[in-house]
Amino acid sequence: MLLKFALRRLAGAVPLLLLVSVVVFALAKQMPGDGLGGGLNPGNKDPRYVAEMREKLGYDDPLPLQYFRWVKDAASGYFGQSFLFKMPVGELIGQRLPATLLLTVLSLLITYGSSLTLGMIAGRNPGRPVDRFILTASYVTYAVPTFIAAIFAIYIFAVVLNWVPLGGTVTAAASRGLWSSLGDRVVHALLPAAVLGMFNTAAYTQFLRGEIVENSGKNYVRTAVAKGISRSSVYNRHILRNSLLPLVTFLGMDIGGLLGGSVVIENLFSYPGIGTLFVAAVSGRDYAVMMAVTLMTGFMIVAGNIVADLLYGLLDPRIRAGYNGG
């Protein structure tokens, strides 16, 4: 049943993915120069050059033909040539993507690890000093703008305390062993990942705390306690599980959303990932890179929503039954 549910969700995502590709293609065609392949230099205004390159690249062909040709190339991993970096866009993204993925994974681990821990502590102790302290801290954290938090974090932890590197992804003189290299990359990504996940940590802590408090007062909980079931079993099997269900939806949205949110953080921390690549492409009008990153981000958001639905169906059989006509 779960496999059938997963296949239906994947099939339902195909039209959405096609819509994302159509929107990105339409945006690219509205840009001056060449928004898709990077074959046209937007800085060269010579009419003869423009006419010659448009004919060579097939930009005078009917739009449907251009779209299907672009989709076919994109599906094979070819997104054109970056005139700013003088290399294929796919290769360029492949160089930057691992750093951003590491940043995203660390941010998700910090966000959900912290919010689950703090939310459960606050939810099991409503109205007590520890609950009020966690709520106050989360409200303050939620109110601080990300760029302000990043500046203070850099100054305190990188400049004053010197606990983490000031920027970059690796230390030039670091050992080239597998584990030491990975550890060095994690250390470089730790501070930006913590700042990137700070906003969501505060929000999810409050959300989970509220869900636990609300579910603790439900009739089925009181019935389970009246039947003699231990409080810990009731909490783990009924209260916590039902409280975590809505949080699963956020996980799917975060998978794609953090790729977009990393633009500010990566530039503030001089962290060479997809975010800094996108800003450089915008500044240099490298449209092929811009469109490839936009398309990838859109696909990641759709994929994240699919993951959220699958996890939701795994935790709640009623969702699977609804999709399967039960």
Side-chain angles (χ1 to χ4, degrees):
M1 183 179 290
L2 183 59
L3 178 60
K4 185 178 179 181
F5 170 72
L7 291 176
R8 287 196 175 192
R9 287 299 298 120
L10 291 173
V14 172
L16 188 56
L17 293 174
L18 289 175
L19 178 61
V20 170
S21 68
V22 170
V23 170
V24 172
F25 178 81
L27 289 174
K29 297 306 292 183
Q30 299 302 314
M31 293 180 175
D34 173 18
L36 297 175
L40 279 175
N41 185 348
N44 192 335
K45 305 298 183 181
D46 185 358
R48 289 180 299 177
Y49 164 79
V50 173
E52 179 183 347
M53 292 302 296
R54 286 187 63 85
E55 181 179 0
K56 177 181 177 182
L57 296 170
Y59 292 153
D60 293 327
D61 295 340
L63 286 178
L65 179 60
Q66 294 185 48
Y67 169 74
F68 285 112
R69 184 168 56 225
W70 174 68
V71 169
K72 180 182 176 182
D73 290 341
S76 64
Y78 179 73
F79 296 96
Q81 189 81 9
S82 168
F83 78 87
L84 187 64
F85 294 92
K86 310 301 181 185
M87 63 188 303
V89 175
E91 183 180 339
L92 181 61
I93 291 177
Q95 292 178 357
R96 299 292 192 98
L97 187 59
T100 297
L101 288 179
L102 176 61
L103 182 66
T104 302
V105 170
L106 281 178
S107 179
L108 289 174
L109 290 175
I110 292 171
T111 296
Y112 285 91
S114 302
S115 59
L116 288 177
T117 302
L118 296 174
M120 286 189 291
I121 293 174
R124 297 198 72 169
N125 301 277
R128 297 181 180 179
V130 64
D131 176 41
R132 290 196 292 268
F133 175 78
I134 291 175
L135 282 180
T136 301
S138 65
Y139 283 130
V140 172
T141 303
Y142 194 81
V144 177
T146 301
F147 69 94
I148 295 294
I151 293 172
F152 274 97
I154 291 171
Y155 178 73
I156 295 172
F157 296 105
V159 177
V160 177
L161 298 177
N162 197 27
W163 287 357
V164 292
L166 192 56
T169 57
V170 292
T171 303
S175 172
R176 294 304 173 188
L178 174 62
W179 293 110
S180 60
S181 176
L182 179 60
D184 184 48
R185 291 179 181 274
V186 169
V187 170
H188 279 78
L190 195 57
L191 189 59
V195 176
L196 181 61
M198 181 186 71
F199 182 86
N200 286 343
T201 299
Y204 298 167
T205 297
Q206 298 175 26
F207 182 84
L208 180 59
R209 183 261 182 196
E211 286 290 313
I212 292 175
V213 171
E214 180 182 352
N215 287 321
S216 298
K218 294 289 181 67
N219 289 331
Y220 65 84
V221 173
R222 289 195 289 265
T223 301
V225 174
K227 288 182 177 180
I229 302 176
S230 66
R231 188 69 185 180
S232 60
S233 297
V234 173
Y235 177 80
N236 292 325
R237 295 182 59 184
H238 299 289
I239 298 175
L240 183 59
R241 184 170 183 175
N242 288 324
S243 299
L244 290 175
L245 281 176
L247 209 61
V248 171
T249 306
F250 298 145
L251 174 61
M253 293 187 292
D254 285 343
I255 292 176
L258 285 177
L259 283 177
S262 65
V263 171
V264 175
I265 293 298
E266 287 186 5
N267 281 275
L268 284 171
F269 284 89
S270 300
Y271 188 85
I274 295 296
T276 52
L277 174 64
F278 185 77
V279 171
V282 172
S283 301
R285 296 195 297 176
D286 197 342
Y287 298 129
V289 175
M290 291 166 55
M291 292 299 101
V293 173
T294 303
L295 181 67
M296 182 186 68
T297 303
F299 273 39
M300 287 297 295
I301 292 174
V302 174
N305 288 327
I306 295 175
V307 170
D309 285 345
L310 294 179
L311 290 175
Y312 211 103
L314 182 65
L315 294 173
D316 192 344
R318 294 172 298 177
I319 303 298
R320 298 198 303 271
Y323 266 93
N324 290 311

